Amino acid sequence: MAQIKLSKSAYFHNLEQICAKVGDKARVFAVLKDNAYGHGLAQIAALASEFGLKTAVVRDESEARSIESFFERIIILSHRANGAESTNAKFIYAINDFSNLEHIKSGSKVQITLDTLMHRHGLKKHELKEAFKLSKKRKINICGAYTHFCGADELSASFAIQNEMFLELKAYFKELCAEFGVKNPIFHLHNSAGIERDKNLANRDECVRVGIAQYGYAQFDESLELKPVLSLWASKLSERRLERGECVGYGGVFCAKEPMDIATYDLGYGDGLLRYNGKGEFVFNAKDKMLGRMSMDSFSSDSLSDELCVINDANIWAKYFDTINYDILVKLSPSLERVVVE
Ligand SMILES: *Cc1c(COP(=O)(O)O)cnc(C)c1O
């Protein structure tokens, strides 16, 4: 049966590298949104917790509920305030625009998203004082603020500019905290690419939100030495000989020029893989070729092994399909079996 293997040693290795660069484990938040980037939320949460991370960042309340026992703090990024928020003291809701402060349940813990350069979410400087006033009135518990880099992964000036904008807002936010009696606010801004690029990270006091790097994918050459955590394995369903001129799969896109042995495996685009259309030569694991169009639940290959590694480096897939490794990983179906291996 097809299976995802999660390497505990690779995961711990990556977290060690990242924590060493940040200089303090307590400042590292694990971004586990979207089923831990397709890796498996339950499995990765357990590992992150075993490693000693105390804070997780997720997409929504349902993800937060499912990993509640593993962390001291869970930041929920994509929540639309509805007045029915959980009273769980570990949950911290991101406030993505001012109206969310009007609707969120009294007593909720929140962090204010600061709109710097990305303009996707967040409050502007001129809204902050009102935000503190309203929070005081509505008994909303502000416990920090953060922003998100829009271009840390590109070697452009935006990274430095946004960092400066954040530091300015942070200073003002701290003044407001003092004025409104908010104690010990937490600040965080770096994503994976930001962690890689900031040479001064160990001397800063903000926390970081590490996503893709913990799963083993660095974005810059000079960066951390990371190891992919996930590998995806398919099992052989059947085997046959293609005679010369016989073609395999829908549309017969691949035809044997000489007699050849092929096998068909139990993974397809129904499992969240991007669909190979049979054109070009797709060497999906640096060794074996996919032959003809991928089916919903299967594909054929010139490999004959019983167990076949389909993804060991998501960059191979990302390059072939002109996308990013996140896109390859996050789509892997939650119903695939996931096992943690050493
Ligand atoms: C997804 C996300 C991250 C993590 O980004 P990586 O590039 O994977 O490290 C951090 N912060 C926010 C707000 C995000 O949405």
Side-chain angles (χ1 to χ4, degrees), residues 31 33 37 57 77 120 146-148 189-193 209-213 219 326:
V31 180
K33 67 188 183 195
Y37 289 41
V57 181
L77 290 175
R120 175 174 76 172
Y146 74 98
T147 198
H148 191 50
L189 83 155
H190 294 73
N191 56 358
S192 296
R209 302 181 305 273
V210 60
I212 196 76
Q219 309 181 44
Y326 300 65

Side-chain angles (χ1 to χ4, degrees), residues 73-87:
R73 258 196 308 233
I74 304 177
I75 299 172
I76 301 169
L77 290 175
S78 299
H79 175 77
R80 178 86 191 149
N82 54 22
E85 282 72 23
S86 166
T87 49

Side-chain angles (χ1 to χ4, degrees), residues 92-264:
I92 302 175
Y93 295 89
I95 294 296
N96 289 323
D97 72 13
F98 195 89
S99 75
N100 281 282
L101 281 177
E102 292 163 350
H103 301 297
I104 200 161
K105 190 166 161 180
S106 289
S108 301
K109 278 191 182 169
V110 304
Q111 299 220 333
I112 306 292
T113 313
L114 301 171
D115 185 4
T116 47
L117 269 188
M118 193 168 193
H119 309 314
R120 175 174 76 172
H121 290 310
L123 275 63
K124 286 275 175 58
K125 185 175 183 183
H126 68 85
E127 296 175 292
L128 289 179
K129 189 151 189 169
E130 283 306 313
F132 273 80
K133 278 189 194 159
L134 183 60
S135 298
K136 190 168 182 184
K137 189 168 139 213
R138 298 203 56 235
K139 300 195 176 10
I140 295 159
N141 187 351
I142 294 181
C143 49
Y146 74 98
T147 198
H148 191 50
F149 287 118
C150 66
D153 56 333
E154 289 159 23
L155 291 174
S156 68
S158 80
F159 178 61
I161 294 169
Q162 233 176 328
N163 183 42
E164 288 305 316
M165 292 170 86
F166 177 76
L167 291 175
E168 190 197 319
L169 284 176
K170 180 183 165 193
Y172 179 55
F173 197 91
K174 277 179 149 178
E175 284 173 25
L176 291 171
C177 287
E179 186 180 335
F180 287 84
V182 171
K183 301 245 161 34
N184 305 320
I186 305 161
F187 295 93
H188 42 107
L189 83 155
H190 294 73
N191 56 358
S192 296
I195 294 167
E196 290 182 59
R197 282 177 76 183
D198 194 326
K199 305 244 179 329
N200 191 35
L201 207 49
N203 296 318
R204 299 185 65 147
D205 61 4
E206 297 94 356
C207 298
V208 304
R209 302 181 305 273
V210 60
I212 196 76
Q214 78 190 290
Y215 306 110
Y217 292 92
Q219 309 181 44
F220 296 100
D221 289 338
E222 78 270 26
S223 62
L224 311 160
E225 275 177 31
L226 304 173
K227 300 176 182 168
V229 171
L230 175 148
S231 56
L232 173 65
W233 295 78
S235 295
K236 185 162 65 182
L237 292 170
S238 74
E239 200 175 307
R240 71 211 52 255
R241 169 152 294 189
L242 280 189
E243 299 301 341
R244 189 155 74 95
E246 282 187 333
C247 307
V248 61
Y250 288 112
V253 180
F254 175 84
C255 303
K257 295 196 179 71
E258 297 299 330
M260 67 184 288
D261 293 325
I262 66 163
T264 296

